[in-house]
Amino acid sequence: MPVSNAGRHARRWLYLVHRWVGIASCLFFAMWFGSGLVMLYVPYPSLSPAETLARAQAIDWSAVTVPPPLDGGRLPQDLLLEMRDGVPVWRSQGWDDGWHTVPASEGRHLASVDAAYAVRVASRFGRARVLNVERIMRDQWTVSGGFDRHRPLWKATLEDEGGTNLYVSSSTGGIVQSTDRTERFWNWLGSVPHWLYPTVLRQDNAAWRQVVMWVSGPCSAAALAGIWIGILRARIGTRRFKGGRMTPYRGWMLWHHVAGLIGGGFLIAWIFSGWLSVDPWHLFRSAEPDARAVRAYASAGVMPAVPPRPVAPCRRGSRPCEDYRLCGDAPSWCLSIRMVDVRFSTPRRLRRLNRSQMRSLPLHGCSSPARSRSRSTG
């Protein structure tokens, strides 16, 4: 086949790809731009730490009689003290990455998470009567993998003006998601189409990643073909079109030509960045740090047993207790835990402090036998 014929065929296919794939992909672009504007004002529903803390039950300090659990004699990765349906509990994340919940009060047992439990917790948290409760594995607002350890979930519909739905974890017994009627409506126009997030697709993370990656391919092809055509049809040098024009087009086609040449690079970069965001072929996956090294770094020494007697709040009866300490009889260690304060976005982590570090700790005017000993030994 002569070169000239090959060039004509290549150009013909270039125009066909840009025309028909461009028509289909421009619908995606319009959807992405429009849904992105919605997301600027209405993000995907989530239960913020501040909202969780503001609605949390006040800790019954008189009932806290069990010391915090240790993981093989060492500090766990994370430790939290909170109320669970009227019972204080310790929640800890062990070094096996598993979460464990144990009563913080002697002789108390944790109620099973059933429909009646979900009604009690949801009505207390939402401060409204529960109209309906149902057991689900997932829905549009709990489809992400972050909810996997909480499944199955209890979905409670409240009798309030906002049409609130609360989701109760079957593993922790706590509220893990909250949506209202306005959020759900706008997210069907925002995050769901923007992220290609319908439940039927997003519940299979591998399939969803493949769809996102392969949808960006034809869109990139249409954009690249358009830039190539735009360059071929432009005359920037001395040999220009009639009247010294650099483009043969007029009207809407002129705008399409000029805007495509100027914005085509930005469009391809936008598509490419979205493609990279799902980590294609796991190109950016890094090796996990050695678990033994992380554990040794975070909790090298074996902790002595913590007696329950020194556990005392800063401000009795208050839900957002700023600080309390658990101090052992040995003079070389003290645990300082920053608890649920709505001024902070997240609870501070449990730390192990040595004697020199203890000297610089702010006491916040707290007084307890534990605090007295920690100061006298420091």
Side-chain angles (χ1 to χ4, degrees):
M1 181 180 291
V3 175
S4 58
N5 288 338
R8 284 197 294 271
H9 279 281
R11 180 171 293 192
R12 178 173 180 273
W13 278 105
L14 186 68
Y15 278 83
L16 288 175
V17 168
H18 179 62
R19 176 182 299 170
W20 297 111
V21 178
I23 290 174
S25 62
C26 74
L27 299 177
F28 275 104
F29 292 138
M31 178 267 291
W32 278 324
F33 282 123
S35 60
L37 290 175
V38 173
M39 291 178 65
L40 290 175
Y41 300 97
V42 185
Y44 190 78
S46 65
L47 185 63
S48 68
E51 186 178 0
T52 300
L53 301 182
R55 297 294 182 93
Q57 285 183 267
I59 295 175
D60 183 3
W61 294 99
S62 62
V64 180
T65 57
V66 174
L70 300 179
D71 184 13
R74 292 174 171 83
L75 290 178
Q77 291 192 60
D78 210 348
L79 182 64
L80 177 67
L81 174 65
E82 64 179 6
M83 298 295 288
R84 181 188 186 273
D85 194 27
V87 178
V89 295
W90 292 106
R91 299 196 193 279
S92 61
Q93 183 183 16
W95 290 98
D96 59 354
D97 289 330
W99 282 88
H100 310 279
T101 302
V102 296
S105 183
E106 292 180 351
R108 302 295 296 271
H109 299 281
L110 301 182
S112 60
V113 182
D114 52 16
Y117 175 95
V119 168
R120 291 196 306 272
V121 171
S123 61
R124 184 188 300 119
F125 186 92
R127 299 168 185 171
R129 191 172 73 90
V130 174
L131 289 177
N132 180 57
V133 63
E134 60 177 320
R135 188 172 182 264
I136 64 171
M137 285 302 296
R138 60 178 53 82
D139 65 4
Q140 185 60 63
W141 319 116
T142 57
V143 70
S144 67
F147 293 97
D148 285 349
R149 72 184 184 94
H150 300 291
R151 306 188 199 281
L153 297 155
W154 288 95
K155 177 182 176 182
T157 302
L158 301 186
E159 186 181 16
D160 61 358
E161 295 180 356
T164 303
N165 288 337
L166 296 177
Y167 297 80
V168 181
S169 166
S170 62
S171 59
T172 67
I175 304 293
V176 294
Q177 177 63 301
S178 173
T179 69
D180 59 43
R181 187 181 300 110
T182 301
E183 285 180 324
R184 294 191 294 270
F185 172 81
W186 285 108
N187 271 274
W188 280 111
L189 302 177
S191 61
V192 174
H194 191 85
W195 293 335
L196 305 181
Y197 228 61
T199 305
V200 65
L201 175 62
R202 185 60 182 87
Q203 64 185 350
D204 187 337
N205 186 63
W208 172 75
R209 288 182 66 256
Q210 291 296 321
V211 168
V212 173
M213 286 191 292
W214 288 105
V215 164
S216 63
C219 294
S220 299
L224 286 171
I227 292 176
W228 193 357
I229 293 171
I231 294 173
L232 292 176
R233 297 296 289 162
R235 294 182 181 179
I236 303 175
T238 57
R239 185 172 172 269
R240 299 191 177 186
F241 293 101
K242 184 177 180 180
R245 296 169 57 84
M246 292 186 291
T247 173
Y249 302 111
R250 297 179 183 276
W252 284 107
M253 290 298 293
L254 171 63
W255 282 104
H256 181 72
H257 190 194
V258 175
L261 286 174
I262 296 175
F266 292 100
L267 182 61
I268 292 176
W270 180 57
I271 300 171
F272 187 66
S273 65
W275 180 71
L276 291 178
S277 68
V278 295
D279 191 14
W281 303 295
H282 304 295
L283 296 175
F284 307 106
R285 176 172 292 181
S286 58
E288 293 291 332
D290 183 73
R292 290 177 298 177
V294 174
R295 178 167 180 163
Y297 173 79
S299 58
V302 176
M303 302 295 295
V306 180
R309 179 173 52 85
V311 178
C314 279
R315 300 173 182 176
R316 297 185 181 277
S318 63
R319 178 167 49 248
C321 177
E322 289 190 3
D323 190 274
Y324 73 89
R325 297 183 181 176
L326 309 173
C327 295
D329 295 328
S332 62
W333 66 274
C334 178
L335 306 182
S336 176
I337 308 174
R338 178 73 69 180
M339 284 302 291
V340 289
D341 190 331
V342 295
R343 296 175 301 173
F344 298 99
S345 59
T346 57
R348 300 290 183 86
R349 289 177 178 269
L350 185 68
R351 298 189 295 150
R352 180 175 181 268
L353 306 176
N354 57 37
R355 294 177 66 183
S356 61
Q357 290 173 313
M358 285 163 55
R359 294 191 181 97
S360 61
L361 287 173
L363 301 184
H364 297 291
C366 299
S367 62
S368 68
R371 182 59 55 85
S372 301
R373 281 202 305 275
S374 67
R375 295 193 68 183
S376 63
T377 58

